[in-house]
């Protein structure tokens, strides 16, 4: 049996991960005129094994497989150092062919997800055929980093339907995390289990969309099986209705809130804007003459010019008067702008003080939608005012508020004379 050449730089996973990323492979001679090479494109990807052979006075380089940097070797696509040396010898002897680009040169699922998210921020796509907003892409990336850590390191050709199904089911069974801390989870509690299934479905949707895109764009071979198409999302019940407040509950909450939070809550009730969009609002986004507020939605990427009621216009005039145009519209007591998740604790305290159950900042937006619908009876208008991408979302959340509309329609049906 031929002796395996030793090289402390590349023969172990631990040693390879210490190497600096570079364009040219690290080479080690196997026998005179034949070399094994290793190269890693970035820290998240598995490296690639190459062979280099001297032929007719010139060196010819070929890929032979993927290194087992982050996942265990399977002896076919992903190879240990020893397996890679054997593959190099086979390639040199004409007993094996080099791996094509879609098979073993570091194209792992992480690479496909990265390329897909980058492309979607510039090229329209998805169900609405729109460009993905930067905020939505960031949330999708964070979700993928949390749940795709293991499968993301696998080459796309080493994944099959069963592997994807097992990974998808695993997300639903795992407890949720918040800021890196594992939260309590009872899989027998319907609402908790529903939430985990919904999360698993969202991440699966991203994976399937990315793989379909990669196939169309030529990142995968035309002969590559679309194994992802056979992985079905979990069947789950419809979203629970969002918490909506009555006018007297809004009043109680505002009275219980600290002054800095009260202004933020009032801004939400006057515009229906999300917390993150309010945090990004500048003084200059309020147009006094037009009585509107410019809202750049981080979630959808939409730009809304939200009209204000006389009460809303008076409120924004009061908090913006005499201030610079580029100042944050809403600030903390110390002058800092509100940041991500900073309202959660004071919001919880205000809800407890006002004896309101299940109230988070999101309730202000849903309450705005509810009050607008009751005032206008126009669910399409509510969808536009909230910046919903699809009015189906609006109907799911708010249609129950208009049962009389259905009753009036049914009352117009002609009598059938059945009981006569």
């Amino acid at each position: 049996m031929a002796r395996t050449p030793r090289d402390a730089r590349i023969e172990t996973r631990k040693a390879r991960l210490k190497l600096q990323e570079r364009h040219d492979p690290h080479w080690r001679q196997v026998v005179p005129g034949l070399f094994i090479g290793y190269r890693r494109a970035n820290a998240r990807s598995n490296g690639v094994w190459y062979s280099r052979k001297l032929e007719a006075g010139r060196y010819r380089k070929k890929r032979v497989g993927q290194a087992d940097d982050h996942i265990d070797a399977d002896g076919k696509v992903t190879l240990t150092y020893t397996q890679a040396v054997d593959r190099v010898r086979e390639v040199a002897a004409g007993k094996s062919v080099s791996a094509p680009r879609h098979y073993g040169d570091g194209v792992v699922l992480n690479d496909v997800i990265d390329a897909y998210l980058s492309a979607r921020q510039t090229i329209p796509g998805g169900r609405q055929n729109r460009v993905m907003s930067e905020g939505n892409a960031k949330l999708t990336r964070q979700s993928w980093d949390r749940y795709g850590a293991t499968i993301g390191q696998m080459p796309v050709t080493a994944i099959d339907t069963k592997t994807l199904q097992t990974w998808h089911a695993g997300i639903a069974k795992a407890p949720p995390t918040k800021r890196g801390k594992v939260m309590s989870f009872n899989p027998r509690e319907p609402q908790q289990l529903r939430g985990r299934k919904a999360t698993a479905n969202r991440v699966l949707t991203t994976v399937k969309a990315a793989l379909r895109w990669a196939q169309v764009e030529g990142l995968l071979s035309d002969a590559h099986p679309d194994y992802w198409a056979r992985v079905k999302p979990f069947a789950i019940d419809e979203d629970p209705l969002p918490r909506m407040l009555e006018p007297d509950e809004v009043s109680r909450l505002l009275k219980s809130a600290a002054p800095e939070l009260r202004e933020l809550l009032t801004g939400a009730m006057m515009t229906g804007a999300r917390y993150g969009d309010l945090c990004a609002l500048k003084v200059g986004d309020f147009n006094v003459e037009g009585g509107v507020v410019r809202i750049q939605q981080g979630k959808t990427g939409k730009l809304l010019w939200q009209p204000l009621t006389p009460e809303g216009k008076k409120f924004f005039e009061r908090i913006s008067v005499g201030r610079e145009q580029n100042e944050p519209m809403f600030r903390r007591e110390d002058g800092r702008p509100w940041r991500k998740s900073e309202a959660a604790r004071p919001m919880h305290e205000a809800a407890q003080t006002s004896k309101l159950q299940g109230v988070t900042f999101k309730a202000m937006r849903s309450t705005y939608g509810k009050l607008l619908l009751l005032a206008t009876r126009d669910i399409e208008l509510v969808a536009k005012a909230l910046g919903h991408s699809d009015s189906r979302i609006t109907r799911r959340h708010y249609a129950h508020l208009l049962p009389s509309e259905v009753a009036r329609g049914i009352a117009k049906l002609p009598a059938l004379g059945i009981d006569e």
Side-chain angles (χ1 to χ4, degrees):
M1 184 176 179
R3 176 178 171 273
T4 301
R6 303 300 300 274
D7 191 322
R9 298 173 305 161
I10 62 175
E11 63 181 283
T12 67
R13 176 185 295 178
K14 185 176 180 181
R16 291 194 298 269
L17 293 178
K18 293 180 180 178
L19 293 174
Q20 293 293 322
E21 299 165 13
R22 69 183 201 184
H23 179 74
D24 295 322
H26 298 270
W27 294 105
R28 176 67 169 90
Q29 182 175 271
V30 178
V31 295
L34 182 63
F35 297 80
I36 181 173
Y38 168 82
R39 173 180 173 270
R40 188 176 74 252
N42 57 66
R44 296 182 62 205
S45 297
N46 291 297
V48 184
W49 297 117
Y50 294 94
S51 71
R52 186 175 70 175
K53 183 182 180 183
L54 184 61
E55 295 179 355
R58 295 180 59 187
Y59 280 106
R60 300 188 181 277
K61 184 177 76 172
K62 295 180 180 179
R63 299 182 214 34
V64 297
Q66 180 174 251
D68 61 333
D69 293 340
H70 299 286
I71 59 176
D72 293 334
D74 59 13
K76 297 178 180 179
V77 175
T78 308
L79 310 175
T80 64
Y81 172 72
T82 301
Q83 291 170 339
V85 171
D86 291 341
R87 182 71 60 81
V88 166
R89 288 194 174 106
E90 291 174 0
V91 170
K95 297 178 181 179
S96 177
V97 297
S98 61
R101 185 167 185 78
H102 64 271
Y103 182 79
D105 70 334
V107 179
V108 296
L109 191 51
N110 274 337
D111 298 329
V112 172
I113 297 292
D114 287 342
Y116 169 71
L117 292 179
S118 296
R120 284 286 284 105
Q121 291 181 72
T122 56
I123 302 172
R127 191 169 56 191
Q128 301 295 321
N129 195 34
R130 289 204 317 255
V131 171
M132 182 182 288
S133 69
E134 183 179 350
N136 201 4
K138 183 178 179 181
L139 290 174
T140 304
R141 160 56 61 198
Q142 290 173 345
S143 181
W144 174 249
D145 287 343
R146 184 178 300 130
Y147 299 110
T150 302
I151 199 171
Q153 296 295 342
M154 296 183 68
V156 290
T157 50
I159 303 173
D160 55 20
T161 300
K162 185 176 180 181
T163 302
L164 204 57
Q165 286 173 333
T166 302
W167 165 78
H168 178 232
I171 297 176
K173 295 176 183 177
T177 60
K178 187 175 183 180
R179 301 188 189 93
K181 181 181 178 181
V182 177
M183 309 298 290
S184 61
F185 174 57
N186 181 5
R188 295 181 181 177
E189 207 284 311
Q191 282 300 334
Q192 290 192 36
L193 183 58
R194 184 198 175 283
R196 299 309 298 155
K197 286 183 175 181
T199 297
N201 285 352
R202 282 195 298 271
V203 186
L204 176 65
T205 297
T206 299
V207 172
K208 295 175 74 170
L211 288 169
R212 283 195 300 268
W213 172 85
Q215 194 171 54
V216 171
E217 295 298 317
L219 270 70
L220 304 179
S221 166
D222 291 338
H224 191 76
D226 55 346
Y227 53 81
W228 56 87
R230 294 186 289 277
V231 182
K232 304 300 180 185
F234 292 114
I236 55 178
D237 299 330
E238 288 190 1
D239 293 340
L241 293 176
R243 179 74 159 90
M244 301 176 193
L245 304 181
E246 297 297 329
D248 68 300
E249 291 179 319
V250 173
S251 179
R252 282 161 49 195
L253 181 64
L254 292 177
K255 289 179 180 178
S256 300
E260 59 177 2
L261 178 62
R262 188 182 306 129
E263 281 197 349
L264 195 63
L265 292 172
T266 304
M269 283 303 306
M270 297 300 171
T271 63
R274 297 180 178 89
Y275 172 75
D277 299 336
L278 289 171
C279 294
L281 211 63
K282 303 293 185 184
V283 172
D285 290 324
F286 170 52
N287 184 294
V288 182
E289 292 76 16
V292 296
V293 175
R294 178 185 183 276
I295 300 174
Q296 181 67 59
Q297 290 194 317
K299 184 176 181 180
T300 66
K302 286 184 175 181
L303 176 62
L304 301 180
W305 289 97
Q306 197 74 311
L308 298 170
T309 63
E311 182 183 29
K313 183 179 178 182
K314 185 177 179 180
F315 165 74
F316 276 97
E317 285 178 343
R318 177 177 63 79
I319 66 172
S320 63
V321 65
R323 297 173 59 191
E324 296 293 331
Q325 295 288 290
N326 62 348
E327 283 187 52
M329 179 68 79
F330 298 99
R331 300 175 295 184
R332 305 296 306 270
E333 282 184 338
D334 58 7
R336 292 186 301 106
W338 287 89
R339 298 192 179 95
K340 183 179 180 181
S341 304
E342 280 190 339
R345 181 171 293 179
M347 185 73 194
H348 177 69
E349 293 171 354
Q352 282 192 321
T353 302
S354 55
K355 295 182 172 54
L356 295 174
Q357 299 296 319
V359 175
T360 64
F361 200 92
K362 290 181 179 180
M364 311 311 290
R365 177 173 166 82
S366 55
T367 300
Y368 175 88
K370 166 190 170 181
L371 296 177
L372 183 59
L373 179 62
L374 292 177
T376 64
R377 304 300 217 189
D378 189 339
I379 206 160
E380 294 294 333
L381 184 147
V382 174
K384 291 178 181 178
L386 293 175
H388 282 167
S389 300
D390 192 325
S391 63
R392 287 179 296 180
I393 300 171
T394 320
R395 292 182 183 281
R396 270 204 307 269
H397 289 173
Y398 299 100
H400 69 285
L401 297 171
L402 298 177
S404 57
E405 299 293 314
V406 178
R408 278 198 291 270
I410 293 176
K412 295 177 181 179
L413 288 173
L416 300 178
I418 295 175
D419 292 332
E420 293 180 0

